[in-house]
Structure formats: structure tokens, C-alpha cells
Amino acid sequence: MSTRFSKDHPLRLAVLISGGGSTLRNLIRRVEAGHLTPVRIVQVISSRATVPGVGIAREADLPLAIVRRRDYADGVAFSDAISGVLDAAEVDLVVLAGFLCHWQLPERYRGRTLNIHPALLPEFGGQGMFGCHVHAAVLAAGRAASGCTVHLVDEHYDHGPIVAQTCVPVMPGDTAATLAERVAVAERELYPYVIQQVVDHGIAWLAQFEHTGGKSTH
Ligand code: GRF
């Protein structure tokens, strides 16, 4: 695996989606604008066939695979199918972007698979904590701040070592929707920022988080 990426050897990125695809769209735009470089999105995998994210991938003419959990006998077969698509695309870095299925990632994708979560982990994460559920929980807990977290993926939902976080304030009168929008703005900066760090410093840059379990703040 290359440690550094260059124009001749851009980072080969895969994006896994299940829904709206706003994270995917942001990454596409950054790459197209030359603000996330040198990066090539070589594979999009969607766990659903008819979501807006699929349309975004098609419009951008990106290689797209639909891998639905219900088409496989069990979680192992489903996970093997995802890993097989990634292997064939010779992916360097995998980013989960609103991917709602459980991919049992094999050892070879450990340390190079990231997720972004719309809260300050380790709070407000785990199964069922997605979309507006997250923001409603933050408001119900009376927190003064929320934010987003990029973390390495392990076998548990929203659990792996934290790589970077951005805080946003919770404002008086916030609803889950207004808070979601503020967090989304932060997400659109944080994910490309972290991916660019990987491009600039190599996949090995992520290893520091594996070993320490520490976090850096953007
Ligand atoms: C984002 O809020 C992200 O934090 C979470 O899922 C959402 C993705 O939305 N993991 P979209 O499908 O990219 O629009």
C-alpha cells in the first residue's frame, strides 16, 4: 500500500451510503473543485437502490454498486460482498457516509475505514442513533454544545478511535432540524479535512489514533 499519494497515484476513495447522499455530494464537489486532492472516488456502494444518494453517484458518473442486506443470507455474506467490491476497486480509504448497515469489516480494512457521526462521540452514538434521533437526544439532555466526530470504524456502531471532532453550539430555541443543519455545516468541513490529512500524510497517519485511542480537535 502506498504511504503517500500523488497526482500519478491519487488516493482511491470508496464512499458507502444508504440515504440522502449529502456527504457524498460534498466530497464529489470538493474533489471536482480541486479542494480535496489528489483523490479519486473509485467506488460508491449503496445499501439501498432507490435513495437520492444513488442518483448523486449516477449523475457524477461514479462506479456504483448496490449491495442490499436482504439479498444475502446473513451478515457475513453481506459483509463479504461489500469487501469484495472494495477489493476489486483497489480502494485505499473507505468512508462511511450515512451508511446504515452493519459491515463486518475484515482486518485488511481496519485502520483505513472512517465514519462521520453527527454528535460528539462517545456520547449520543450507537445503534438507532442516526438522523434526527441524535439531535433530539442532545436537546433532551440539555447539552450546551454538539458537533460531529470522525472516527475509525471497528466492529461496533460509532465506537472506534476518534480522529477529529468539531463543536457547534446548541442555541436557545433549537429544534432537532435547526441543530442538524448547524452540525451538517460542520460535517461538510470536517470530513474533507480529515481525508486531506490522510492524503497528505498517508494511511499510516491514522495509526496514531488506533494505538492511543486519543482524539484531535479540528
Ligand atoms: C450525516 O449526518 C452523517 O453524520 C451520518 O449520516 C448523515 C449522512 O447523511 N453518519 P447523507 O446520507 O450523507 O445525506
Side-chain angles (χ1 to χ4, degrees):
M1 191 187 305
S2 63
T3 51
R4 294 291 169 100
F5 301 98
S6 64
K7 241 176 162 185
D8 291 338
H9 294 100
L11 179 140
R12 297 173 66 84
L13 183 68
V15 186
L16 272 55
I17 63 170
S18 297
S22 62
T23 311
L24 171 64
R25 187 174 51 220
N26 180 49
L27 294 176
I28 292 169
R29 284 182 179 163
R30 298 283 173 133
V31 170
E32 284 178 354
H35 295 152
L36 184 54
T37 184
V39 172
R40 216 174 120 201
I41 301 174
V42 294
Q43 187 68 58
V44 176
I45 299 178
S46 177
S47 65
R48 291 182 184 154
T50 57
V51 290
V54 164
I56 291 168
R58 289 212 170 105
E59 213 168 284
D61 219 10
L62 294 173
L64 170 70
I66 309 291
V67 184
R68 297 183 305 182
R69 173 66 184 81
R70 68 165 183 234
D71 293 333
Y72 296 88
D74 54 30
V76 173
F78 169 73
S79 297
D80 285 350
I82 290 177
S83 305
V85 171
L86 297 174
D87 290 347
E90 298 181 5
V91 167
D92 295 306
L93 180 72
V94 182
V95 295
L96 309 191
F99 188 66
L100 294 176
C101 291
H102 187 52
W103 170 42
Q104 298 168 27
L105 76 168
E107 194 56 38
R108 63 188 180 279
Y109 286 104
R110 286 259 189 161
R112 57 189 182 110
T113 300
L114 297 170
N115 182 40
I116 189 160
H117 184 76
L120 296 174
L121 294 174
E123 283 201 299
F124 307 110
Q127 198 156 14
M129 275 291 179
F130 61 91
C132 274
H133 301 292
V134 178
H135 307 295
V138 170
L139 292 175
R143 291 289 187 275
S146 189
C148 52
T149 303
V150 173
H151 66 94
L152 282 158
V153 174
D154 65 9
E155 66 271 26
H156 305 293
Y157 283 101
D158 304 327
H159 176 266
I162 292 171
V163 174
Q165 294 183 306
T166 301
C167 291
V168 304
V170 174
M171 308 290 251
D174 257 343
T175 62
T178 58
L179 181 56
E181 185 45 38
R182 198 172 307 120
V183 171
V185 170
E187 283 190 41
R188 289 199 283 273
E189 297 302 321
L190 188 64
Y191 226 179
Y193 166 80
V194 170
I195 296 168
Q196 189 65 55
Q197 295 303 305
V198 176
V199 174
D200 292 346
H201 303 291
I203 296 287
W205 179 79
L206 288 168
Q208 64 182 304
F209 304 104
E210 282 281 8
H211 298 310
T212 63
K215 63 185 180 191
S216 73
T217 305
H218 176 40

